[in-house]
Amino acid sequence: MINVPELFGSMVFNEAVMKERLPEAVYREFLKTLEEGKELDISLANVIAGAMKDWALEKGATHFTHWFQPLTGATSEKHDALITPQKDGTVIMEFSGKELVRGESDASSFPSGGLRATCEARGYTVWDPTSYAFIKDGCLCIPTAFCSYGGEALDKKTPLLRSMEAISAQAVRVLKLFGHKDVKSVKTTVGPEQEYFLVDKDVFDKRKDLIYAGRTLFGAQPPKGQDMEGHYFGIIKPRVQAFMKELNEELWKLGVPAKTEHNETAPAQHETAPVFATANIATDHNQLTMELLQKIARKHGMVCLLHEKPFNGVNGSGKHNNWSVCTDTGINLLEPGDTPKENAQFLLFFCAVIKAVDEYQDLLRISVASAGNDLRLGANEAPPAIVSMFIGEDLEDILKAIASGTALDTKAVEQLKVGVHVLPKIPRDTSDRNRTSPFAFTGNKFEFRMLGSSESAACTNIMLNTAVAESLRVFADRLEKAADFKKELDAIIKDVVNKNGRIIFNGNGYGEEWVKEAERRGLLNLKTMPDAYPHYLDEKNKKLFARHGVLSESEMHARFEIGMEHYCKTIKIEALTMINMTEKEILPAVSRFEKDLAETVINKRAADKTADCAYETFVLKELSALTGRALDSVQRLKSLVRDAENVAGITPQAQFYRDRILPEMENLRASCDRMEEKTAKDYWPFPSYGDLLYSVK
Ligand code: ADP
Ligand code: MG
């Protein structure tokens, strides 16, 4: 039997460990520094580093690393041994405060989007002391932010921390007006639900598309896909169960509060979700979760696919970003309250989110844009590329009543006053959960469902925090100046309903009707990454990030460039993989099958001139036509990939990949998938969809 409380956090240098191992005064001073968000004094850092080293050695660590999240989307670590050589040929184990708080890193091989001149290849990493150090594979990992020498952010953590400060500052202003003089800061809380697929490693290894692109680029539909819908919440197979057990244990050791696990809709699809945590910690934990999913799957002879759309015609994988705001005194600001005052405050924060999501729908869309997620959004398992909000009918009625100045139809039990209106008690749980909405209020938090499964949660939370900070700034400006607080509050809610109400949609987000209705409402429908990304550089967005000190103009430029380059590279790799698989595997295999068919016809006819060769001649004719078409596609694709290199400008280049290369890839796939249907199984060069989706027994 495992002792979970003992296991949990056993590889983490958390507050409990610090309290036990640090001198009392140092521990207190450290907590104070954290609370005030100040820089750590070096003498303090030295003591902490010493204690951290002793603890790490006891746990078997030999190395340390500054663990950070560059703009590639993965995490990075460069290991340094904890040794210091001595004059007498021996070593001692050392770790200094300087090494703990700051590291130098050769940044030249990380994408910088032009932020770092080539002559200044170095960047530096700085400890984020709010996210605990931990030991992974014998290495003490220090969660850090990664910057250039000019101080520009080269990672995802830096702007996330800045955005958390921005929303905290503005929320505290608003809370003061509601009489919360004791609140010093607020934190955004995040609980990311993570979807993934598991396939058998032997089957995976036979598919170059999975190896190079992480998704299938070919594959005819199997007789049984997810039509029966028996997998969702179904019984977990023993092999998957064993994997989940080890995954949970490893996550718990690292202090990741993994909580929920279940089968998802598609065959071979699963989900894991933790208990929510502060945004930066939840983001770090999600990165660790993605890493462990992949590592532990391999140990169990499986491969974890984190791609947004590994299989055509089968549900893709997303990441649901559950998000709320909580004060340092423990109040969830998106929890409807029991008293009129609490509810007025709840409605104001609620309206801040509505305003933010409407006015910065482009940024939210950008935060989930990737070549992989383009394949998922708008398919029938995920929200469309249009950002909208589900708030439930009760809350919509309340907001509308305030906006129109009418008293609400008081069918509800209790009545409460908000501003000058009489309103019913706000329901605690909007039980009518709408699964088709990209951004849904789920009782005391919002759930943003557009994120792709492989994407870092950082970007979405940077956008959300900053956009909501801006709403709160506007509200605080108005309320601080107002002569009549209640009246102004009412006016703010009215303004939000009138100006931003269009973003609210409680209906079916998957329907064709909604696409038309959204267009009538003037909502953006940014279908692909090259549609969405250029909005990064819109004036209003530059102004937003500059005002709240989250991203400078050059940092935004860099992120835009890196994202678009990544998009182009992804599609290029996919196109080259398709060319390779068609030329080296599919066409030769089909050709062998054709040869055998042709020989059969010859042999049959030699024995009997009038022999019936209907099957052979029919298939031969079909396959000859299809191989011809596939060959043409391959030739066109090759020349298009060459042409793409010569397109000037990153946006036109991304558009070229989308408009010219992706459709040709689809043509090629269509020909090959039809060949797969016509070719005998033993000739087909790699495992089919059926083999993949039912590979884990
Ligand atoms: P589902 O959406 O599948 O019904 P739940 O509503 O139980 O699941 O929760 C999903 C996730 O939301 C969990 O990770 C949970 O910890 C997280 N969550 C719950 N409350 C909050 C909150 N206040 N802030 C952020 N995340 C939260
Ligand atoms: Mg959910």
Side-chain angles (χ1 to χ4, degrees):
M1 208 189 80
I2 58 161
N3 182 340
V4 179
E6 203 168 282
L7 193 74
F8 191 87
S10 57
M11 289 299 184
V12 184
F13 195 71
N14 56 24
E15 267 178 47
V17 179
M18 283 188 241
K19 192 163 181 204
E20 187 191 307
R21 290 179 173 254
L22 293 175
E24 164 106 27
V26 173
Y27 177 65
R28 289 201 175 289
E29 195 58 33
F30 175 68
L31 288 189
K32 210 171 133 226
T33 316
L34 276 194
E35 215 170 88
E36 291 165 5
K38 281 200 295 213
E39 216 171 295
L40 206 62
D41 184 77
I42 188 69
S43 61
L44 208 61
N46 277 329
V47 181
I48 298 171
M52 214 185 252
K53 179 206 68 183
D54 291 341
W55 169 82
L57 294 179
E58 282 167 33
K59 299 271 176 192
T62 52
H63 287 71
F64 80 95
T65 186
H66 276 197
W67 185 78
F68 61 97
Q69 294 157 40
L71 295 170
T72 49
T75 52
S76 283
E77 41 193 85
K78 181 189 113 213
H79 296 183
D80 275 304
L82 290 159
I83 56 169
T84 307
Q86 302 296 292
K87 277 196 194 123
D88 62 358
T90 59
V91 293
I92 56 165
M93 303 305 274
E94 259 186 344
F95 186 49
S96 69
K98 201 170 140 256
E99 285 173 307
L100 167 64
V101 291
R102 197 180 153 104
E104 288 203 2
S105 188
D106 178 2
S108 58
S109 355
F110 294 105
S112 77
L115 273 181
R116 188 177 5 78
T118 30
C119 58
E120 184 48 276
R122 284 182 315 169
Y124 66 94
T125 46
V126 199
W127 183 30
D128 166 15
T130 59
S131 185
Y132 304 132
F134 56 92
I135 296 171
K136 182 167 66 73
D137 301 325
C139 188
L140 171 65
C141 300
I142 320 283
T144 54
F146 178 41
C147 297
S148 76
Y149 260 78
E152 287 136 329
L154 293 174
D155 70 343
K156 303 197 170 170
K157 188 188 269 280
T158 308
L160 179 60
L161 293 172
R162 291 176 186 160
S163 74
M164 288 165 67
E165 277 175 32
I167 192 172
S168 177
Q170 301 305 330
V172 168
R173 278 179 70 195
V174 170
L175 287 168
K176 285 231 153 62
L177 297 167
F178 279 93
H180 295 283
K181 305 271 188 274
D182 53 333
V183 173
K184 288 201 202 70
S185 66
V186 308
K187 286 204 160 65
T188 33
T189 50
V190 169
E193 300 165 59
Q194 176 74 47
E195 293 178 342
Y196 59 93
F197 278 87
L198 287 175
V199 296
D200 186 83
K201 172 138 188 329
D202 292 337
V203 182
F204 171 93
D205 283 339
K206 298 192 178 99
R207 299 249 351 185
K208 280 196 190 140
D209 47 3
L210 286 181
I211 293 171
Y212 293 132
R215 72 170 174 115
T216 55
L217 297 164
F218 299 102
Q221 288 299 309
K224 184 184 172 195
Q226 62 187 54
D227 324 70
M228 306 286 277
E229 303 197 328
H231 194 252
Y232 190 62
F233 283 12
I235 293 167
I236 300 172
K237 291 174 182 150
R239 206 169 152 198
V240 176
Q241 190 63 66
F243 156 84
M244 285 178 171
K245 181 174 185 289
E246 187 170 347
L247 174 72
N248 286 332
E249 286 173 17
E250 290 306 313
L251 286 171
W252 291 338
K253 280 185 201 165
L254 292 175
V256 180
K259 171 102 175 154
T260 318
E261 61 191 22
H262 60 81
N263 287 351
E264 260 300 329
T265 318
Q269 194 183 29
H270 311 278
E271 180 182 301
T272 175
V275 176
F276 67 94
T278 308
N280 63 321
I281 295 166
T283 303
D284 286 356
H285 282 174
N286 181 249
Q287 291 297 135
L288 283 173
T289 303
M290 291 195 285
E291 184 182 326
L292 286 182
L293 277 167
Q294 286 168 302
K295 267 194 195 155
I296 292 167
R298 297 231 166 211
K299 279 180 73 182
H300 290 254
M302 299 185 285
V303 177
C304 171
L305 306 178
L306 286 175
H307 196 283
E308 283 73 22
K309 192 75 179 174
F311 306 99
N312 274 16
V314 175
N315 275 10
S317 299
K319 182 171 345 233
H320 292 176
N321 192 80
N322 293 276
W323 180 94
S324 191
V325 195
C326 188
T327 65
D328 58 350
T329 53
I331 309 165
N332 178 355
L333 295 170
L334 292 175
E335 174 90 48
D338 291 324
T339 66
K341 201 174 103 191
E342 278 170 15
N343 271 339
Q345 179 186 302
F346 160 76
L347 277 182
L348 192 70
F349 278 91
F350 193 72
C351 283
V353 182
I354 295 175
K355 181 177 163 71
V357 175
D358 180 44
E359 290 174 7
Y360 297 98
Q361 38 179 297
D362 49 353
L363 288 179
L364 287 175
R365 174 66 185 90
I366 285 167
S367 78
V368 301
S370 69
N373 214 21
D374 275 1
L375 301 166
R376 184 182 80 100
L377 295 176
N380 57 9
E381 74 274 19
I386 307 162
V387 177
S388 69
M389 287 172 93
F390 166 84
I391 63 169
E393 271 164 24
D394 293 327
L395 277 164
E396 195 181 13
D397 288 348
I398 291 169
L399 291 177
K400 277 189 178 152
I402 298 177
S404 61
T406 52
L408 201 80
D409 168 20
T410 51
K411 57 184 175 212
V413 233
E414 228 174 301
Q415 294 192 2
L416 296 168
K417 267 188 180 198
V418 174
V420 292
H421 293 283
V422 178
L423 294 167
K425 188 177 160 73
I426 293 172
R428 259 172 197 279
D429 190 19
T430 45
S431 52
D432 174 26
R433 289 203 178 179
N434 184 327
R435 292 268 154 206
T436 66
S437 175
F439 203 106
F441 183 63
T442 51
N444 61 3
K445 63 184 190 295
F446 281 98
E447 181 171 344
F448 185 42
R449 306 194 177 110
M450 279 172 104
L451 277 83
S453 46
S454 71
E455 291 168 345
S456 156
C459 198
T460 278
N461 291 301
I462 294 168
M463 305 303 197
L464 248 178
N465 292 347
T466 314
V468 175
E470 173 61 11
S471 303
L472 294 172
R473 181 194 70 81
V474 173
F475 295 173
D477 281 357
R478 283 177 67 170
L479 289 168
E480 281 168 2
K481 281 191 221 117
D484 183 333
F485 182 80
K486 277 191 176 163
K487 247 196 193 141
E488 190 62 18
L489 189 75
D490 222 47
I492 289 174
I493 294 174
K494 208 176 268 185
D495 282 351
V496 169
V497 173
N498 290 335
K499 283 194 203 135
N500 309 110
R502 61 175 186 166
I503 199 79
I504 296 165
F505 176 61
N506 290 330
N508 176 17
Y510 290 3
E512 195 43 47
E513 260 312 297
W514 168 233
V515 177
K516 289 189 205 125
E517 165 68 13
E519 197 181 333
R520 277 194 290 278
R521 293 187 187 187
L523 298 179
L524 291 169
N525 185 1
L526 304 168
K527 289 201 183 83
T528 65
M529 178 150 181
D531 295 316
Y533 248 57
H535 288 285
Y536 228 131
L537 306 176
D538 287 357
E539 271 320 304
K540 78 168 186 26
N541 295 335
K542 286 190 203 161
K543 245 168 88 181
L544 170 77
F545 284 119
R547 186 195 289 273
H548 294 279
V550 173
L551 286 170
S552 69
E553 197 170 327
S554 57
E555 286 170 334
M556 292 175 77
H557 243 283
R559 267 149 229 264
F560 163 75
E561 292 267 333
I562 292 166
M564 291 288 256
E565 267 170 26
H566 193 261
Y567 176 86
C568 295
K569 280 186 197 157
T570 303
I571 299 175
K572 184 179 173 185
I573 291 168
E574 290 181 347
L576 294 177
T577 304
M578 288 187 89
I579 293 169
N580 182 292
M581 288 173 78
T582 310
E583 289 189 326
K584 303 239 178 259
E585 299 184 72
I586 298 175
L587 290 177
V590 172
S591 184
R592 273 195 296 277
F593 182 50
E594 286 176 320
K595 174 178 153 282
D596 287 355
L597 286 172
E599 276 177 14
T600 309
V601 174
I602 293 166
N603 292 344
K604 273 189 176 177
R605 294 258 159 93
D608 170 7
K609 263 195 195 141
T610 59
D612 183 355
C613 298
Y615 163 66
E616 292 81 359
T617 47
F618 174 78
V619 174
L620 266 172
K621 205 169 146 203
E622 291 265 314
L623 285 177
S624 299
L626 290 167
T627 47
R629 247 181 271 162
L631 190 66
D632 288 346
S633 275
V634 163
Q635 300 310 342
R636 277 197 297 271
L637 209 45
K638 278 185 180 170
S639 88
L640 285 170
V641 170
R642 271 194 304 272
D643 293 347
E645 298 296 309
N646 298 323
V647 177
I650 192 68
T651 302
Q653 197 175 50
Q655 287 164 343
F656 186 91
Y657 273 101
R658 180 193 61 193
D659 299 335
R660 304 290 303 279
I661 295 186
L662 283 179
E664 198 54 61
M665 284 163 59
E666 262 175 50
N667 285 338
L668 177 56
R669 177 174 186 151
S671 305
C672 292
D673 288 358
R674 284 190 56 201
M675 283 193 258
E676 184 184 344
E677 285 164 4
K678 299 260 164 330
T679 304
K681 174 128 182 108
D682 6 332
Y683 291 78
W684 200 251
F686 41 76
S688 67
Y689 263 34
D691 299 333
L692 280 166
L693 288 167
Y694 300 96
S695 62
V696 175
K697 300 278 177 332

